[in-house]
Amino acid sequence: MSPIKLFRALALTGICAAFSLFATAQSSNHGAVTGVVTASDSNPVATAAITLSGVDGPQYSTTASVDGVFLINNLPSGTYVLKVSSPGFAIYEQPSITVAVGRTTHLSIQLTLANVQQSVGVVAQQSSVDPTQTSSVVNIDRDRVEELPIPSRNYLTFVLLAPQVAAANPALQQGIAQGTGSFSFGGLRPGSNAIYLDEVNDNDEYSGGSRTQLSPEAISDFQIVNHGFAAQSGGGAGGSIDVQTRSGLNRIHGDAFTFVQNGALNGTQPLGFTPYKPDENRIRMGVAIGGPIQHDKTFYYVAAEQEIAHGQEVNDLRPSTLNIINQALKQHGPLPGLNLQTGFFPTTDQETELSSRIDRTLSANEAIMLRYAFTNTRNVNDAFNTDELTDRTARGSSFLADNSLNGTLTSTFSSTLLNKLSFELAQRRAVQKTSSSSGAGIFIPGVALFGTPYSGNSRRFETHLEFADSVSLQRRHHLFQAGGRIDRVALRTSIPDGSQGFFIFPNLTALQTGNADFFIQSFGKNFKTNLSEIRVAAFAQDHWTLSNKLTLDYGIRYDYNHLPTGLPQNALNFSPRLGLAWTPWKATVLRSGFGIFYDRFILSTINRLLAFDGIHGYSQILEDKAAATLYQSGNLPTAPITGVAPSIWRAQPDMRTPYSQVASFSVEQALPLQTTLTGEYQYVHGIKLGRTSNINLPPPVQLTLQNAASVGISSPTAQQLGRPAFSTLRLNPAFDAINQFATSANSTYHGATITLNRQFQDDLQIMAGYTFSKTIDDASSDLEQPQNPYMLGQERGLSLQDQRHRFTLSGLWLIGPDLNDAADAAKNANPSPLMKALTGLEFAPIVSIASGFRANPITGVDSNRQHIFPFASRPDGFSRNSLSTPVNVNVNLRVLKMIPWGRGHLDVVAESFNLLNHQNISLLNPAFGSNSQPALEFARPIAASTARRIQFSLDYEF
């Protein structure tokens, strides 16, 4: 059997299996070119021959219909040469037609009668807007990926260039791992996004982030879809990112580069008590090369990077606090040998990235793409998202290894019928280990965290096997699309959260006397789980061009998550979609739409439900005098404590799949110089979102001095008296806490955005946007618990993802001709002396100004005795998420000088991240304390983004 037949057989087998279970699909990661061909008298030119030739790449052809209309679909992103010919007319040529992922380029072509000059070069009227696009999208093209400054080489950082996309709140990554990505659409949870890489899923389903870390040199471009109203868009309740990797050409091309950072040039950290800068040396080297294996038939592209960084971190606890803690540890407790250290300690970052892609044209009607990617990342001593109050012992190291193999077979059965088969086999290995992994952990909220933290020692293997198929059929004014996808996700874990025991003290004085207020420890059968989930869905839609002014997208999508045995299954997940694009005037497009978007469950939540179900594992909790007595004994339990009921996790019996309802209206106006101005309003309603509640509590009582002992509180505090508290009785006495995961939370987002976008023309590119929004919810993560399970309405408030104002600006300004553009360079072959000196200078800024991150004030201990962790008790008079960090301001700048050298050019680059060295606070101390007045450090900063960094690089492109 030939390789292509084997590929097709494997893919078809997977697709058949998918449809037997109910299938899914996702949009193509390619672009299209459409237009109308007319004569000088405006009459259509039927059967005109249209050819698009890629620069040193393949050629695509079609024929205009009787009304002069043509469409070339499934085009890789890039710049093409357009040629149109018809008997009796001069040949029409246009050397620069831009195609972007997920977008349709619209052209208006007018042919002239043949004469002595049989070929004319005319600039086509390429519209800066896509009048048939019904959804709100932002394209990040190759120029932005290559030239804009980002502090890490993670290409997904560019997603935040879109003003409607907000950065994830760092508070969601604190404490117990909650499963979160790095950005949010429509105020929804960061783990609700869908990321697609070359047609296949690239989500880390355990954490909610992304998996494959590719070199930016391997990225062609990508599209940010802020909820697409075409039924093909989906995979999450939030937005989607469609990424296309780079392919080879008929000529050898590529680059080699080196990035260097030195801590001596960086700014001083904005927080902490250390009087001097930490040492840091960071170097990143890489190479990318592509070219032909067989001219016009087979192409390759390989990109590889290696980063090695050595730095320093420091425990930023006050010296007086360190002395008190070390003296207290010597006096009593289970950690007599522990001694917190001052000063810097070494950190290491290493990352290896490799990707290789092969494209093969099998025939005039078939093409295949195969890509393999590998990433290996190591971070030593500072791998977790910790704050300044976390000691080195509670910090840790991590290891990530990703391997993925994916491919796509594209079959063009006719000029109107296209089919795509895709597959992926991928595995992620993730290991985390804290610096201290034996002995208990100790937490003094708002003061210090040290010892073995509750979470941070884990191993997991996530394996994906995915098949997808989609078919497109063009019939006059209709583009019908349907398809299917199946993704089997297997997860093996060992996550012993809390197995070493974890004590919480209300303040330093309590630590000195050994009066712990809370203790939790987990017990289980080696804490290992082995589960799998199958995700399938299906879509059918019609892209109907009713006229040259009106386009309608309508269809339906079906999503289904087949959860592991024992968990509730919900199959009725149909989501209708409707999108409209109307062009009342030539340069104005009005868009509107409505859609339902079903989410998926984060596997960290599913894993916890299975691992702590009371059979495989559970926790035991002691509070007040029982916790203090255990701490003062100096001995940690090695087996479950007799007489203490277990605390477990359960799923809501009628658990439903979370989803969002989205509606939007926008106006896009085309301006001169390939510039557009867009105003949009969007409404997003998150429904059936996950939350957790202890459902084993009896109704609370109003705490008084007289009933405090019966509730189990020996010394009531100001934050307890006169407020609801729960007795030691339980509805089901066989258990202590029954933490039920339920899909009962909701969110509401209203946002208005204005965006100015100028495509790269005349050596200038600009994108600027401002969003004013508000997000309200009653739970911002799966693990968030209410302060009172009997008063869920009190939880309604500002979301952790609420970010009222957000402004972004990015741009490219190149002085002189683009040395990557031969035509531009030839046109400016004889510059003046001044222009000659300035030619090749490029400036690329990124500016972002955003409202601060929300923070949820808490007393710091389990004041109302819910027996839960993390705690939910808020100080009297404070509403949920009522704290906020100051405004975050960040300015990045890249300055580049191109120097012609040999067959290419050398780029000498200087970059600065956080150029203004602004103190961007990311976390506040939420611990109010147990007294009527707040603790001294309450609401003060405990974490900030990186101070100013300077980076230099050399990049030789050829």
Side-chain angles (χ1 to χ4, degrees), residues 382-520:
D382 196 32
F384 309 150
N385 297 297
T386 55
D387 56 46
E388 302 293 326
L389 305 180
T390 304
D391 181 65
R392 175 183 179 179
T393 55
R395 304 190 187 209
S397 304
S398 70
F399 169 79
L400 280 174
D402 285 291
N403 286 273
S404 65
L405 175 68
N406 72 284
T408 299
L409 173 65
T410 304
S411 302
T412 306
F413 298 115
S414 71
S415 60
T416 60
L417 183 60
L418 174 74
N419 191 81
K420 301 188 82 170
L421 281 170
S422 299
F423 85 94
E424 178 189 36
L425 177 61
Q427 184 181 76
R428 159 162 282 200
R429 178 191 176 199
V431 179
Q432 293 183 329
K433 186 176 181 180
T434 59
S435 298
S436 174
S437 56
S438 61
I442 295 178
F443 182 38
I444 311 172
V447 178
L449 170 65
F450 52 92
T452 304
Y454 182 87
S455 63
N457 292 291
S458 63
R459 293 176 177 269
R460 62 182 173 93
F461 293 84
E462 183 178 317
T463 304
H464 288 250
L465 178 61
E466 180 178 358
F467 291 94
D469 182 71
S470 62
V471 61
S472 302
L473 176 64
Q474 184 77 42
R475 281 288 182 267
R476 292 181 61 82
H477 303 296
H478 296 267
L479 176 60
F480 299 104
Q481 293 177 285
R485 179 188 304 266
I486 180 169
D487 186 5
R488 182 184 185 273
V489 185
L491 181 68
R492 292 187 293 120
T493 72
S494 175
I495 304 179
D497 287 352
S499 61
Q500 297 299 312
F502 196 65
F503 289 96
I504 296 178
F505 292 82
N507 47 52
L508 275 175
T509 301
L511 178 68
Q512 289 176 299
T513 58
N515 286 316
D517 189 67
F518 184 91
F519 172 77
I520 183 170

Side-chain angles (χ1 to χ4, degrees), residues 113-124:
L113 293 175
N115 51 32
V116 177
Q117 184 180 359
Q118 293 296 314
S119 178
V120 293
V122 183
V123 176

